[in-house]
Amino acid sequence: MHNTKRTTAWLVMLLSAAMLLTACGGKAQTPAQNESPAAAPAAAQDAPKTPKIQGRLTWSAVGEPVNLNPILQSDTNSTFVVQRVFSGLVMINEKLEVAPDIATSWTKSDDGLQWTFKLRNNVKFHDGKPMTAEDVAFTYNAMKDKGYTGPRSGDFAALEKVEVVDPYTVKFILKQPFAPFLANLTYGILPKHLYDAKPVAEMKDNPANRKPVGTGPWKLGEWIPGQYLTLIRHDDFYANGPYIPEMIVKFVQDGNVGVAKLEAGEFDIGAVPSSSIKRFREKTSDVFNFYPYQGLGFEYLAFNTTKPGLNEKAVRQAIAYAIDRQKVVSDILEGEGVVLNAPVPPASWAYSEKPLRYTVDKAKAIKLLEDAGYTKGADGIYAKNGQRLAFTITTNTGSSVRESECLFIQKALKDIGIDLQINLVELATFQGKVLPTGNFDMTLNRANLNVDPDPYTYFHSSQAQKNAKGTFVGFNIAQYSNPALDKLLEDGRKEIDQAKRKEIYGQYQDVIAEDVPWLVMFNYKSTYAIKKNVKGVVMSPIGPTQGWLWYTE
Amino acid sequence: MKRYLAKRLLQMIPVLLGVTLIAFFIIHLAPGGPMTVLGGDAALLDPTQVERIEQAYGLNQPLYVQYFRWLSHVLRGDFGTSFVENRPVMEMYLERLPNTLYLNGIAILLVYLVAVPLGAISAVKQYSKFDYTVTIIAFAGDALPNFLTALLALYLIAMPSKGAIPMGGIASYGMKVEQVGLGLFLLDRARYLILPLLVVMCQSVTSVTRYMRSSMLEVIREDYVQTARAKGLAERVVIYKHAMRNALIPVVTLAGSVIPALFSGSVIIEQIFSWPGVGLLGYRAIAGRDYPVIMAFLTLGSVVTIISFLVVDLLYVAIDPRIKYD
C-alpha cells in the first residue's frame, strides 16, 4: 500500500546512496591505511601467548553477497565473505606486500616466465579433504578456460598455463613477463572435487557457489537470504586461530541505517562515513576504538583531451590552478581526505612525492590562458578563434559530495573566465553510457588503485580505442595519448624488479601531474569503528585483514 | 455472469502480453546491463570475455528472439535463472514472498479495522472536534512521505529505545521456534514488526479514512437515509445498517490497488527497515539489471493486479444489488 509516484524520487535518492557505496567498492576491496590509532599497533606485543577461543563478532553488509565462488564473483559483499571462507596462494598483508598464504615460498626463472610455488601440506578443505596442487591448477586453469564466464580472465591474459609438479608444488608459465602477476594470485582456491564433474561453462550453476567449501579460517554456517549469514570456525585451519569462533554478517539495505545501527551497538565493527565521523566519535568513544585509514581510493577530475580547448595542456593546467582542492577537502569532505598530486596514493609502494603540486593561483591560471592565445570576450569568457572555453561537467547523481564538488568547480572556473555547465545523470547511465564512451567534456569519478599499481589501462593510448560497440577497450576515458608515457607504461608492466618499477612509476606520476589528463582531487580517508573488546585487530590500507589473528576479551 | 467472467479472463491474455512485451523491451533498452555486475568493472573486461558472457546468458541474440524464448519458458511455468545469483527466480521470489505477505497482510487488516470506523464516525460527527482532529491528522499523515515517517520513527522511537525496538530486520539472530519456544519467538517477531507496521499504517490509514469519510458524507444525505430516519428507526440502526454498508462500496474499490501491494511489497519500507521482502528483491534486480528477476517481478505483479481488479468487480455484485454483469 504505497504511493509509487511520490516515493520514486526519494527511492532513487535513498537507494543510490547504498548503491554508491557498493559501486565505489569497485575492485571489491575497501581502502584503508593503518594510521596507528592508540589501540591498534600494540596488538602484536600485548597479545597473550594464545588468546582464548571465544566471543562472536557481528559485521554489517550494505546489500547482500550474490555468489561465493571466488573466481566468479566481483561485488564487495561476496568478496568480504569469500576472503574469510577461502585462502589464496598468496595474500596481501597489512603493509600491502605479497605474503605467503597457502604457498610457503616461490621462485621465478630468470626470464620471469616460470614461477614455481611450494604449498603447505597441512591445508584441508572444510569437508575434510586435503588441498593439493591439483586444486590450485584447477582454479587458475578454469579462469583460462574458453567457457569461463567470470570477470577475471583479463587479470591472467599473460598466463599460459598452470602445471602440477607434485602434490605440493605448482608451476605457473607465462607468455611474457608481467609484473602485476604475483599480486593477482590471491583468489581463493576452489575444491576441484566439487567442480570438475561439469565443464567450466556450467560452473556458474554449481550449487557449491552458494554453499562454498574452502580452506579459509571460517566456513559458511547458514545463509538466510535478506537477513544474515554466519561464519563458523574451521577447526582444521592451517595456522593458529581463528580465535573468534562465530561471526555474523547482517545485511542492511541502506547505508545510513547501517551507520545508525552501528552507533546503536548492533554491530561490533563497521566503516563510518566521513560525513558522520565527528558526531559518531563524540557519542560512542567509550564503546568503540577508531581505526582511521587512508587507502587506495581517490577522486579525480578527468578531461576529454580530444575536446577543442581541453586538448591544450595550458587550459588543463589553468583549471588545475583555479581549483582550491585543499578547500574542497576541508569544506566539502570536512577534512576526511588528503589532496593528492598524481593518481598514486601514499599507501601504495609506487607513491612518489615529486610530482608537480598545483596550489590555487588564479592570476597564474589567467596568465596561462592568455599566453595560450585566449582573449576575454564581452561575456567574461575566454575564447580563441571564436572558440569559447565553455564546457559541461558530467557526473552521477546520488552523492552530495560530488554534487557539491561540481558547484565548487563551476564557481572556480567562472573566476578565471571559463564557463561550466553541470550535467548529473543516474549512476547506471553514468557507468554504462558516459564513462565507457567518453561522452563528456569533464567528469568527476572515483578510482581505486589495485595493490599492484599498474596504471596501463587508465592512460595507455591503446586503452582509448573503441570496440565494435563504441566503448573503450580499456579505461583511458580521458583519451590521453602520449607516446613517451606509453613506453613507460609498457616498461612498467615488464619490469620485475620493484625498485626499478618504482622509478618508472615515479616518472609516470610526473607526466600525469604536468600534463593533467586527470586532475587528482583527493585521496579518501575513512574510519573503521571496532568495539573495544575486540583485540589483535589487523588493518591494512585496503581494510580489515587476517581476521584469524583477532580475538575478543 | 459466466460469459462476463470468461470475457474478462480472455481479456487478460492480450493485456499481460502487452505488459510483458513493453517491460521486456524497456528494461533491455535501459543503459547498463547485467555485464556490470557479472563482469565487475565492465570497461576493464576484454571484449572476448564480454562476448563469452553474453553467449553464456543468451544476451547476444536479437531482442525479439530473447523475448519469445523467455515467453515460451514462462508459459511452461519457468521464470528462468537469475543472472546475478544463478539460481531459479521462482525460488528467490518464493523465499521472500512470505515476509512481504506477513507484513502487508497484517498492515492491511489493521488499516481497515482502524480506518473504516474512524472515517464513519468522522462523517457522522461532521465539523465536531473529533472530525477536525481526524481530518488534520489524516491530511498530515497523507502529506508525510513514508520514507520520512520511517526515518522519524527510527530516530524518535528506535534509537532512544536502546534496542527494545529494533531498527530493522525481521527477527533476532538465533530466534528459532524449536530453540526458544513459540511465545518468545512471536514476541521477538512482534518487536521487529512494530516500526514497519507503524509506517505502513501511518500512510494507508489516512487515505482510507478520508475515502470512508467522504463516502459516508455522501450517503447520509441520501433520500433513503432520510426515509429511514422518518420511519423512526434508531439513529444507530440508520447509520450502521443503512448508511455504512452503502458507504463501504467505494472503499472496496480501494482493495483493487491494495491487494497487489500485498504481493509486490513496499520498496521504501523494505529498504529502510531491511525487511527481506519481495519489493527489495525487485529493486535490487532493477539496480543490478538482473533481467529474469525483473521480468518475474513485473509479470507476477501485473497478474496479481489484473486479478485483484477482477475480484473487486465481482465483489460489487455481492455487495451492491444494483450492479449486475450480463
Side-chain angles (χ1 to χ4, degrees), chain A residues 1-3 6-8 10-12 14-16 18-19 26-27 56 63-67 72-75 143-154 201 204-205 209-210 222-228 230 232 246 248 250-257 260-264 266 279 283 426 428-429 431-433 436 457-458 467 469 472-475, chain B residues 29-32 36-41 43-47 49-54 56-57 81 84-87 91 95-96 99 104 108 111-112 142-147 151 154-155 159 166-174 176 189 192 200 203-205 207-208 257-258 261-262 264-268 270-276 280 283-284 287 289:
Chain A
M1 202 179 231
H2 62 279
N3 186 329
R6 182 189 301 144
T7 49
T8 308
W10 280 99
L11 195 86
V12 171
L14 275 170
L15 307 200
S16 52
M19 277 169 60
K27 264 256 165 174
R56 180 202 271 170
E64 186 170 343
V66 293
N67 184 330
L72 290 184
Q73 57 78 26
S74 60
D75 64 292
M143 289 190 260
K144 295 298 291 177
D145 193 278
K146 275 201 206 65
Y148 173 62
T149 53
R152 309 288 183 207
S153 65
K204 64 185 171 62
D205 302 318
N209 296 339
R210 286 183 72 83
E222 55 178 347
W223 178 356
I224 312 284
Q227 298 181 49
Y228 61 86
T230 59
I232 312 291
E246 186 182 24
I248 306 169
K250 286 195 181 167
F251 312 138
V252 292
Q253 301 303 336
D254 181 278
N256 294 322
V257 176
K261 286 181 157 192
L262 180 68
E263 190 176 322
E266 200 171 311
R279 190 182 52 85
K283 285 180 81 171
E426 184 238 354
T429 312
Q431 290 175 335
K433 285 266 194 267
T457 185
Y458 293 128
N467 60 21
K469 289 190 178 132
F472 297 129
V473 298
F475 201 75
Chain B
L29 284 175
T36 10
V37 175
L38 296 173
D41 224 336
L44 294 172
L45 277 176
D46 60 301
Q49 178 70 13
V50 173
E51 269 167 37
R52 204 186 292 165
I53 294 178
E54 284 185 342
Y57 289 91
T81 308
V84 176
E85 297 196 14
N86 283 304
R87 54 191 189 119
E91 180 186 315
E95 90 194 350
R96 284 167 175 266
N99 296 334
N104 289 352
I108 289 170
V111 163
Y112 276 89
D142 212 16
L144 275 177
N146 55 0
F147 77 91
L151 291 179
L154 277 183
Y155 282 95
M159 288 192 77
M167 267 184 277
I170 186 169
S172 295
Y173 171 69
K176 291 186 178 140
R189 285 268 169 155
Y192 283 85
V200 176
Q203 178 132 48
S204 308
V205 163
S207 62
V208 177
S257 59
V258 166
L262 254 175
S264 63
S266 156
V267 181
I268 298 269
E270 294 184 5
Q271 168 85 8
I272 294 183
F273 295 110
S274 300
W275 193 267
L280 206 49
Y283 173 74
R284 278 182 47 192
R289 305 286 193 267

